[in-house]
Protein backbone atom coordinates (compact mmCIF):
# COMPACT_ATOMS: atom_id res chain seq x y z
CA UNK A 1 0.00 0.00 0.00
CA UNK A 2 2.83 2.38 0.85
CA UNK A 3 4.60 1.65 -2.44
CA UNK A 4 1.37 2.41 -4.30
CA UNK A 5 1.06 5.70 -2.46
CA UNK A 6 4.63 6.63 -3.33
CA UNK A 7 4.04 5.81 -7.01
CA UNK A 8 1.03 8.15 -6.97
CA UNK A 9 3.06 10.90 -5.34
CA UNK A 10 5.95 10.51 -7.79
CA UNK A 11 3.45 11.10 -10.59
CA UNK A 12 2.34 14.32 -8.91
CA UNK A 13 5.64 16.13 -9.00
CA UNK A 14 8.04 17.11 -11.73
CA UNK A 15 11.72 17.07 -10.76
CA UNK A 16 13.43 20.40 -11.33
CA UNK A 17 17.09 20.64 -12.35
CA UNK A 18 17.76 23.26 -9.68
CA UNK A 19 15.78 21.60 -6.90
CA UNK A 20 18.80 21.30 -4.61
CA UNK A 21 20.90 24.15 -5.94
CA UNK A 22 21.73 26.88 -3.41
CA UNK A 23 20.86 30.32 -4.74
CA UNK A 24 21.31 33.86 -3.50
CA UNK A 25 23.75 35.28 -1.01
CA UNK A 26 23.33 34.56 2.69
CA UNK A 27 22.66 38.29 3.24
CA UNK A 28 19.14 37.71 1.92
CA UNK A 29 18.92 34.00 2.62
CA UNK A 30 19.33 30.97 0.38
CA UNK A 31 16.85 28.76 -1.49
CA UNK A 32 17.22 24.98 -1.51
CA UNK A 33 14.23 23.51 -3.32
CA UNK A 34 11.18 24.28 -1.17
CA UNK A 35 13.38 25.28 1.78
CA UNK A 36 14.51 28.89 2.26
CA UNK A 37 16.90 29.73 5.08
CA UNK A 38 19.23 32.32 6.56
CA UNK A 39 21.61 30.45 8.83
CA UNK A 40 22.76 33.35 10.99
CA UNK A 41 22.47 37.12 11.17
CA UNK A 42 22.94 39.95 13.63
CA UNK A 43 20.00 41.92 15.04
CA UNK A 44 20.00 44.85 17.47
CA UNK A 45 19.80 42.57 20.52
CA UNK A 46 21.91 39.57 19.46
CA UNK A 47 21.92 36.96 16.68
CA UNK A 48 19.07 35.32 14.75
CA UNK A 49 18.40 32.41 12.40
CA UNK A 50 15.46 31.98 9.97
CA UNK A 51 13.98 29.18 7.85
CA UNK A 52 10.84 28.59 5.80
CA UNK A 53 9.64 25.44 4.06
CA UNK A 54 6.83 25.61 1.55
CA UNK A 55 4.06 23.00 1.36
CA UNK A 56 1.19 24.88 -0.33
CA UNK A 57 1.19 25.54 -4.07
CA UNK A 58 1.46 29.22 -3.15
CA UNK A 59 3.42 29.97 0.03
CA UNK A 60 0.84 31.19 2.55
CA UNK A 61 3.37 31.82 5.36
CA UNK A 62 5.23 35.13 5.45
CA UNK A 63 7.92 36.18 7.94
CA UNK A 64 10.26 39.05 8.62
CA UNK A 65 13.02 40.33 10.89
CA UNK A 66 13.51 44.10 11.14
CA UNK A 67 16.29 45.53 13.25
CA UNK A 68 17.52 49.02 14.00
CA UNK A 69 15.22 52.02 14.04
CA UNK A 70 11.62 51.19 15.03
CA UNK A 71 10.37 54.71 14.22
CA UNK A 72 10.31 57.00 11.20
CA UNK A 73 13.20 59.15 9.95
CA UNK A 74 15.77 57.41 12.16
CA UNK A 75 14.15 59.03 15.19
CA UNK A 76 14.19 55.86 17.30
CA UNK A 77 13.57 54.01 19.49
CA UNK A 78 15.87 51.20 18.34
CA UNK A 79 15.36 47.48 18.70
CA UNK A 80 14.22 44.27 16.98
CA UNK A 81 10.92 43.37 15.29
CA UNK A 82 9.93 39.78 14.37
CA UNK A 83 6.80 38.80 12.46
CA UNK A 84 5.30 35.38 11.59
CA UNK A 85 2.17 35.55 9.41
CA UNK A 86 0.47 32.20 8.76
CA UNK A 87 -2.08 32.74 6.00
CA UNK A 88 -5.07 30.59 5.10
CA UNK A 89 -7.32 30.48 2.04
CA UNK A 90 -4.55 32.13 0.00
CA UNK A 91 -1.41 34.28 0.36
CA UNK A 92 -3.00 37.73 0.04
CA UNK A 93 -3.49 38.60 3.71
CA UNK A 94 -0.11 37.35 4.96
CA UNK A 95 1.62 39.21 2.11
CA UNK A 96 -0.31 42.37 2.97
CA UNK A 97 0.71 42.12 6.63
CA UNK A 98 4.33 41.54 5.64
CA UNK A 99 4.28 44.76 3.60
CA UNK A 100 2.32 47.04 5.94
CA UNK A 101 2.32 46.05 9.63
CA UNK A 102 5.89 47.12 10.42
CA UNK A 103 5.38 50.42 8.57
CA UNK A 104 2.29 51.13 10.69
CA UNK A 105 4.25 50.25 13.83
CA UNK A 106 7.00 52.72 12.89
CA UNK A 107 4.43 55.46 12.31
CA UNK A 108 2.67 54.97 15.65
CA UNK A 109 5.99 54.59 17.49
CA UNK A 110 7.10 57.97 16.13
CA UNK A 111 3.81 59.58 17.10
CA UNK A 112 4.11 58.28 20.67
CA UNK A 113 7.92 58.64 20.68
CA UNK A 114 8.24 55.27 22.40
CA UNK A 115 7.36 51.60 22.05
CA UNK A 116 4.30 50.28 23.93
CA UNK A 117 1.55 47.66 23.83
CA UNK A 118 -0.81 50.41 22.63
CA UNK A 119 1.47 51.20 19.67
CA UNK A 120 1.44 47.53 18.67
CA UNK A 121 -2.35 47.29 19.07
CA UNK A 122 -2.82 50.35 16.84
CA UNK A 123 -0.51 48.86 14.21
CA UNK A 124 -2.57 45.64 14.17
CA UNK A 125 -5.81 47.60 13.81
CA UNK A 126 -4.44 49.78 11.01
CA UNK A 127 -3.32 46.64 9.17
CA UNK A 128 -6.76 45.07 9.59
CA UNK A 129 -8.45 48.22 8.30
CA UNK A 130 -6.05 48.38 5.37
CA UNK A 131 -6.82 44.83 4.30
CA UNK A 132 -10.56 45.50 4.67
CA UNK A 133 -10.09 48.34 2.17
CA UNK A 134 -8.42 45.90 -0.24
CA UNK A 135 -11.32 43.45 0.10
CA UNK A 136 -13.86 46.24 -0.41
CA UNK A 137 -12.13 47.35 -3.62
CA UNK A 138 -11.65 43.84 -5.02
CA UNK A 139 -14.98 42.33 -3.94
CA UNK A 140 -16.80 43.07 -7.25
CA UNK A 141 -14.22 41.16 -9.30
CA UNK A 142 -12.58 38.79 -6.75
CA UNK A 143 -15.19 38.09 -4.06
CA UNK A 144 -13.32 35.05 -2.70
CA UNK A 145 -10.67 37.37 -1.22
CA UNK A 146 -13.19 37.97 1.59
CA UNK A 147 -12.41 34.43 2.82
CA UNK A 148 -8.62 34.91 2.89
CA UNK A 149 -7.03 35.61 6.27
CA UNK A 150 -3.91 35.21 8.36
CA UNK A 151 -2.68 34.53 11.86
CA UNK A 152 -0.31 37.24 13.06
CA UNK A 153 2.47 36.78 15.62
CA UNK A 154 4.76 39.71 16.42
CA UNK A 155 7.68 40.14 18.79
CA UNK A 156 9.32 43.49 19.57
CA UNK A 157 12.40 43.94 21.76
CA UNK A 158 13.19 47.52 22.74
CA UNK A 159 14.62 49.20 25.87
CA UNK A 160 15.06 45.85 27.60
CA UNK A 161 11.39 44.97 27.19
CA UNK A 162 9.90 42.17 25.10
CA UNK A 163 6.42 42.60 23.62
CA UNK A 164 4.60 39.55 22.20
CA UNK A 165 1.37 40.17 20.27
CA UNK A 166 -0.66 37.37 18.72
CA UNK A 167 -3.74 36.57 16.68
CA UNK A 168 -4.38 32.90 15.88
CA UNK A 169 -2.24 29.86 16.63
CA UNK A 170 1.37 30.69 15.78
CA UNK A 171 3.57 30.53 18.86
CA UNK A 172 6.47 32.23 20.61
CA UNK A 173 8.45 30.13 23.10
CA UNK A 174 11.17 31.44 25.39
CA UNK A 175 14.22 29.41 26.38
CA UNK A 176 15.11 30.40 29.96
CA UNK A 177 18.15 29.24 31.91
CA UNK A 178 17.42 27.66 35.29
CA UNK A 179 20.55 28.63 37.23
CA UNK A 180 20.19 25.97 39.91
CA UNK A 181 20.25 23.08 37.43
CA UNK A 182 21.73 24.57 34.25
CA UNK A 183 18.68 23.39 32.31
CA UNK A 184 16.88 25.50 29.71
CA UNK A 185 13.16 25.67 30.42
CA UNK A 186 10.58 26.25 27.66
CA UNK A 187 8.09 29.00 28.49
CA UNK A 188 5.27 29.74 26.07
CA UNK A 189 4.84 33.50 25.72
CA UNK A 190 1.95 33.75 23.26
CA UNK A 191 -1.73 33.19 23.97
CA UNK A 192 -3.32 31.12 21.18
CA UNK A 193 -6.75 31.52 19.64
CA UNK A 194 -7.73 28.10 18.35
CA UNK A 195 -11.12 26.48 18.95
CA UNK A 196 -9.39 23.23 19.98
CA UNK A 197 -8.58 25.01 23.27
CA UNK A 198 -11.45 24.84 25.76
CA UNK A 199 -10.91 28.37 27.10
CA UNK A 200 -11.20 29.73 23.54
CA UNK A 201 -14.49 27.88 23.03
CA UNK A 202 -15.75 29.30 26.33
CA UNK A 203 -14.71 32.80 25.28
CA UNK A 204 -16.57 32.46 21.96
CA UNK A 205 -19.68 31.13 23.74
CA UNK A 206 -19.64 34.02 26.21
CA UNK A 207 -19.26 36.55 23.39
CA UNK A 208 -22.09 34.95 21.39
CA UNK A 209 -24.53 33.62 24.02
CA UNK A 210 -27.43 33.51 21.57
CA UNK A 211 -25.62 31.27 19.08
CA UNK A 212 -25.49 27.61 20.08
CA UNK A 213 -23.50 26.87 16.90
CA UNK A 214 -20.73 29.42 17.45
CA UNK A 215 -18.24 26.54 17.83
CA UNK A 216 -18.96 23.17 16.24
CA UNK A 217 -17.17 19.81 16.41
CA UNK A 218 -16.85 18.88 12.73
CA UNK A 219 -14.95 15.78 11.57
CA UNK A 220 -13.46 15.59 15.08
CA UNK A 221 -12.08 19.15 14.84
CA UNK A 222 -13.50 22.17 16.69
CA UNK A 223 -14.27 25.03 14.30
CA UNK A 224 -15.83 28.47 14.68
CA UNK A 225 -19.19 28.28 12.86
CA UNK A 226 -17.97 24.94 11.51
CA UNK A 227 -15.65 26.84 9.15
CA UNK A 228 -12.37 27.94 10.74
CA UNK A 229 -10.24 26.79 13.67
CA UNK A 230 -8.95 30.18 14.81
CA UNK A 231 -11.04 32.81 16.60
CA UNK A 232 -8.81 35.84 15.92
CA UNK A 233 -7.07 36.93 12.72
CA UNK A 234 -6.30 39.63 10.21
CA UNK A 235 -8.66 39.37 7.24
CA UNK A 236 -11.38 36.66 7.10
CA UNK A 237 -13.72 39.55 6.38
CA UNK A 238 -16.56 37.15 5.56
CA UNK A 239 -16.81 36.39 9.29
CA UNK A 240 -16.46 40.01 10.42
CA UNK A 241 -18.67 42.00 8.04
CA UNK A 242 -22.06 40.54 7.10
CA UNK A 243 -22.11 42.38 3.77
CA UNK A 244 -19.28 40.12 2.56
CA UNK A 245 -21.01 36.88 3.63
CA UNK A 246 -23.28 36.54 0.60
CA UNK A 247 -23.19 35.67 -3.08
CA UNK A 248 -20.96 35.55 -5.09
CA UNK A 249 -18.83 34.21 -2.19
CA UNK A 250 -18.61 30.42 -2.47
CA UNK A 251 -21.55 28.72 -0.79
CA UNK A 252 -19.30 26.75 1.60
CA UNK A 253 -18.25 30.03 3.25
CA UNK A 254 -21.73 31.55 3.51
CA UNK A 255 -23.66 31.30 6.78
CA UNK A 256 -27.34 30.44 6.76
CA UNK A 257 -28.23 33.10 9.28
CA UNK A 258 -27.06 36.73 9.06
CA UNK A 259 -24.84 37.93 11.92
CA UNK A 260 -25.12 41.29 13.66
CA UNK A 261 -21.63 41.54 15.21
CA UNK A 262 -18.22 40.23 14.09
CA UNK A 263 -17.66 36.52 14.70
CA UNK A 264 -13.86 36.72 14.57
CA UNK A 265 -11.74 39.38 16.28
CA UNK A 266 -8.61 41.24 15.19
CA UNK A 267 -7.70 42.37 18.72
CA UNK A 268 -4.32 40.81 19.63
CA UNK A 269 -3.39 39.26 22.95
CA UNK A 270 -0.30 41.19 24.09
CA UNK A 271 2.31 40.16 26.67
CA UNK A 272 4.83 42.67 28.06
CA UNK A 273 7.90 40.99 29.55
CA UNK A 274 11.01 42.70 30.97
CA UNK A 275 13.89 40.67 29.54
CA UNK A 276 15.90 38.89 32.26
CA UNK A 277 19.59 37.86 32.08
CA UNK A 278 18.52 34.20 32.17
CA UNK A 279 16.33 34.63 29.05
CA UNK A 280 18.49 32.98 26.37
CA UNK A 281 16.46 32.89 23.15
CA UNK A 282 12.95 33.00 21.68
CA UNK A 283 11.55 30.65 19.02
CA UNK A 284 8.87 32.25 16.83
CA UNK A 285 7.08 29.78 14.53
CA UNK A 286 3.87 29.12 12.66
CA UNK A 287 1.76 26.19 13.86
CA UNK A 288 3.29 23.95 11.18
CA UNK A 289 6.30 23.52 13.50
CA UNK A 290 4.30 22.98 16.67
CA UNK A 291 2.21 20.23 15.04
CA UNK A 292 5.36 18.08 15.16
CA UNK A 293 7.47 19.42 18.05
CA UNK A 294 6.59 20.25 21.64
CA UNK A 295 7.79 23.52 23.19
CA UNK A 296 10.46 21.75 25.22
CA UNK A 297 11.63 19.61 22.30
CA UNK A 298 12.17 22.74 20.21
CA UNK A 299 13.99 24.53 23.04
CA UNK A 300 16.23 21.50 23.63
CA UNK A 301 17.20 21.40 19.95
CA UNK A 302 18.19 25.08 20.02
CA UNK A 303 20.12 24.67 23.26
CA UNK A 304 22.02 21.55 22.19
CA UNK A 305 23.21 22.67 18.74
CA UNK A 306 25.22 25.46 17.16
CA UNK A 307 23.39 28.71 16.50
CA UNK A 308 24.40 28.73 12.85
CA UNK A 309 21.56 27.09 10.89
CA UNK A 310 19.43 26.38 13.97
CA UNK A 311 16.13 27.51 12.41
CA UNK A 312 16.79 25.20 9.46
CA UNK A 313 17.51 22.36 11.90
CA UNK A 314 14.15 22.93 13.62
CA UNK A 315 12.32 22.84 10.28
CA UNK A 316 14.12 19.69 9.17
CA UNK A 317 13.39 17.97 12.49
CA UNK A 318 9.69 18.78 12.05
CA UNK A 319 9.78 17.38 8.49
CA UNK A 320 11.45 14.20 9.73
CA UNK A 321 8.64 13.82 12.27
CA UNK A 322 6.03 14.44 9.54
CA UNK A 323 7.61 11.73 7.39
CA UNK A 324 7.76 9.31 10.31
CA UNK A 325 4.05 9.81 11.01
CA UNK A 326 3.30 8.76 7.42
CA UNK A 327 5.73 5.82 7.62
CA UNK A 328 7.94 7.20 4.88
CA UNK A 329 11.54 8.29 4.58
CA UNK A 330 12.50 11.93 4.93
CA UNK A 331 14.41 11.65 1.66
CA UNK A 332 11.17 10.66 -0.10
CA UNK A 333 9.19 13.46 1.55
CA UNK A 334 11.70 16.00 0.21
CA UNK A 335 10.97 14.82 -3.36
CA UNK A 336 7.29 15.73 -3.14
CA UNK A 337 6.53 19.05 -4.78
CA UNK A 338 4.54 21.99 -3.42
CA UNK A 339 0.78 21.50 -3.47
CA UNK A 340 0.92 17.73 -2.98
CA UNK A 341 3.33 18.36 -0.09
CA UNK A 342 0.48 20.01 1.84
CA UNK A 343 -1.02 16.54 2.45
CA UNK A 344 2.01 15.77 4.62
CA UNK A 345 2.76 19.04 6.42
CA UNK A 346 1.88 22.74 6.44
CA UNK A 347 4.04 25.67 5.39
CA UNK A 348 6.50 26.16 8.28
CA UNK A 349 8.20 29.44 9.23
CA UNK A 350 10.72 29.69 12.06
CA UNK A 351 12.73 32.59 13.47
CA UNK A 352 15.08 31.96 16.41
CA UNK A 353 16.16 35.16 18.15
CA UNK A 354 19.08 34.95 20.57
CA UNK A 355 19.23 37.51 23.38
CA UNK A 356 22.58 39.05 24.29
CA UNK A 357 21.94 40.53 27.75
CA UNK A 358 24.57 43.26 27.25
CA UNK A 359 22.89 44.38 24.02
CA UNK A 360 19.32 44.02 25.36
CA UNK A 361 20.02 46.22 28.38
CA UNK A 362 21.44 49.17 26.46
CA UNK A 363 19.30 52.29 25.97
CA UNK A 364 16.85 52.25 23.08
CA UNK A 365 18.26 55.64 22.00
CA UNK A 366 21.55 53.98 21.06
CA UNK A 367 21.67 53.61 17.32
CA UNK A 368 22.37 50.45 15.37
CA UNK A 369 22.39 49.54 11.67
CA UNK A 370 19.04 48.91 10.01
CA UNK A 371 18.43 45.38 8.77
CA UNK A 372 15.43 43.88 6.96
CA UNK A 373 15.11 40.17 6.07
CA UNK A 374 11.94 38.54 4.76
CA UNK A 375 11.39 34.79 4.57
CA UNK A 376 11.40 33.45 1.02
CA UNK A 377 9.65 30.82 -1.05
CA UNK A 378 8.93 29.91 -4.66
CA UNK A 379 8.19 33.19 -6.44
CA UNK A 380 4.82 33.47 -8.16
CA UNK A 381 2.83 36.47 -9.44
CA UNK A 382 1.82 38.62 -6.48
CA UNK A 383 -1.82 38.87 -7.54
CA UNK A 384 -2.34 35.14 -7.87
CA UNK A 385 -5.28 33.96 -5.79
CA UNK A 386 -4.70 30.49 -4.38
CA UNK A 387 -7.20 27.69 -4.98
CA UNK A 388 -9.58 27.80 -2.04
CA UNK A 389 -9.51 25.14 0.61
CA UNK A 390 -11.19 25.01 3.98
CA UNK A 391 -9.54 27.61 6.18
CA UNK A 392 -7.55 26.48 9.19
Amino acid sequence: MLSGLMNFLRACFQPRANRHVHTGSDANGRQDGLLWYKDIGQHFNGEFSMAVVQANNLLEDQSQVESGCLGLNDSGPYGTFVGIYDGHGGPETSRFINEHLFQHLKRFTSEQQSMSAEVIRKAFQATEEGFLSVVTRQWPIRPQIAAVGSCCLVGVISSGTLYIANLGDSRAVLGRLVKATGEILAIQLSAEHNASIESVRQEMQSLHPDDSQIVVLKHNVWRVKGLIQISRSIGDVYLKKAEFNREPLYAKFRLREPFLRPILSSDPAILVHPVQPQDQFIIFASDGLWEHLSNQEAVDIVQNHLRNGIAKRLVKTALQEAAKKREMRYSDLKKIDRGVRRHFHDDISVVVVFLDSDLVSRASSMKGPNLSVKGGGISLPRNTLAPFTTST
Side-chain angles (χ1 to χ4, degrees):
M1 181 174 176
L2 182 59
S3 61
L5 173 64
M6 289 309 300
N7 289 335
F8 161 74
L9 292 172
R10 289 189 184 101
C12 291
F13 74 89
Q14 297 295 319
R16 295 191 296 276
N18 68 340
R19 177 176 291 275
H20 297 294
V21 174
H22 299 287
T23 60
S25 68
D26 191 55
N28 296 312
R30 296 175 180 269
Q31 192 80 39
D32 182 2
L34 296 180
L35 175 68
W36 175 94
Y37 59 93
K38 180 173 175 60
D39 280 337
I40 199 75
Q42 185 74 33
H43 67 100
F44 191 79
N45 296 284
E47 293 180 314
F48 73 97
S49 179
M50 292 177 76
V52 179
V53 69
Q54 181 171 352
N56 286 290
N57 188 42
L58 295 177
L59 180 67
E60 296 184 351
D61 271 19
Q62 297 290 317
S63 54
Q64 67 185 126
V65 172
E66 309 285 343
S67 179
C69 185
L70 302 179
L72 297 174
N73 304 320
D74 229 24
S75 60
Y78 290 79
T80 304
F81 174 98
V82 178
I84 300 281
Y85 318 124
D86 181 0
H88 46 260
E92 287 74 20
T93 314
S94 57
R95 287 177 178 176
F96 184 88
I97 299 169
N98 208 20
E99 292 171 1
H100 293 91
L101 176 57
F102 181 61
Q103 299 307 315
H104 288 307
L105 180 115
K106 289 171 73 174
R107 176 164 59 90
F108 290 120
T109 300
S110 291
E111 288 178 6
Q112 188 169 304
Q113 298 186 320
S114 66
M115 182 56 61
S116 69
E118 187 58 28
V119 161
I120 296 171
R121 197 178 302 278
K122 286 181 177 179
F124 270 65
Q125 195 55 41
T127 306
E128 168 82 351
E129 290 169 0
F131 190 71
L132 173 59
S133 297
V134 171
V135 174
T136 302
R137 288 196 306 270
Q138 297 192 8
W139 169 262
I141 53 172
R142 303 172 73 208
Q144 309 315 322
I145 198 171
V148 181
S150 183
C151 300
C152 186
L153 171 65
V154 161
V156 179
I157 309 164
S158 183
S159 302
T161 300
L162 168 66
Y163 302 86
I164 299 289
N166 194 42
L167 297 170
D169 55 9
S170 296
R171 189 180 301 172
V173 175
L174 173 69
R176 174 178 287 169
L177 173 67
V178 180
K179 290 184 178 179
T181 63
E183 296 174 298
I184 302 292
L185 185 65
I187 300 174
Q188 185 168 323
L189 300 174
S190 53
E192 293 177 25
H193 311 113
N194 188 301
S196 65
I197 302 169
E198 185 177 358
S199 61
V200 172
R201 296 197 298 273
Q202 291 172 348
E203 177 186 57
M204 293 300 291
Q205 289 159 352
S206 66
L207 290 171
H208 304 272
D210 301 329
D211 188 351
S212 61
Q213 300 295 302
I214 190 64
V215 283
V216 178
L217 188 62
K218 190 174 181 180
H219 305 305
N220 213 33
V221 177
W222 285 102
R223 295 182 183 273
V224 177
K225 299 302 292 182
L227 292 170
I228 188 168
Q229 287 179 259
I230 57 172
S231 61
R232 303 192 197 189
S233 69
I234 300 289
D236 296 310
V237 178
Y238 76 117
L239 291 175
K240 294 174 180 175
K241 301 278 186 181
E243 59 264 37
F244 295 106
N245 198 289
R246 58 180 175 85
E247 290 185 337
L249 188 69
Y250 290 156
K252 67 179 180 179
F253 294 122
R254 298 200 303 266
L255 302 178
R256 293 178 182 177
E257 301 291 330
F259 55 93
L260 301 177
R261 58 181 178 273
I263 293 168
L264 302 187
S265 167
S266 61
D267 185 34
I270 301 180
L271 169 84
V272 181
H273 169 74
V275 178
Q276 306 297 319
Q278 59 267 36
D279 295 340
Q280 304 293 294
F281 54 81
I282 310 159
I283 305 169
F284 297 87
S286 54
D287 73 320
L289 181 80
W290 309 113
E291 286 174 4
H292 303 292
L293 295 177
S294 70
N295 293 353
Q296 192 63 53
E297 285 171 337
V299 163
D300 289 345
I301 289 169
V302 175
Q303 176 61 17
N304 295 327
H305 294 89
L306 295 174
R307 292 183 175 189
N308 195 308
I310 195 61
K312 180 171 61 180
R313 182 180 290 275
L314 284 169
V315 167
K316 287 189 173 182
T317 304
L319 296 183
Q320 288 165 349
E321 287 298 313
K324 191 185 301 182
K325 289 173 184 175
R326 300 298 288 268
E327 299 182 343
M328 64 190 298
R329 291 177 300 187
Y330 171 57
S331 58
D332 287 329
L333 176 66
K334 289 200 299 180
K335 297 173 185 175
I336 301 170
D337 209 352
R338 56 190 170 87
V340 178
R341 183 81 83 90
R342 183 62 182 87
H343 296 289
F344 296 82
H345 65 84
D346 200 353
D347 294 336
I348 302 174
S349 295
V350 178
V351 178
V352 182
V353 171
F354 294 94
L355 302 171
D356 182 323
S357 58
D358 291 335
L359 296 177
V360 171
S361 61
R362 66 183 169 177
S364 67
S365 58
M366 285 188 64
K367 294 187 176 183
N370 289 335
L371 170 135
S372 178
V373 181
K374 298 199 174 187
I378 302 300
S379 297
L380 282 102
R382 298 194 66 74
N383 291 324
T384 306
L385 193 66
F388 273 73
T389 56
T390 301
S391 300
T392 56

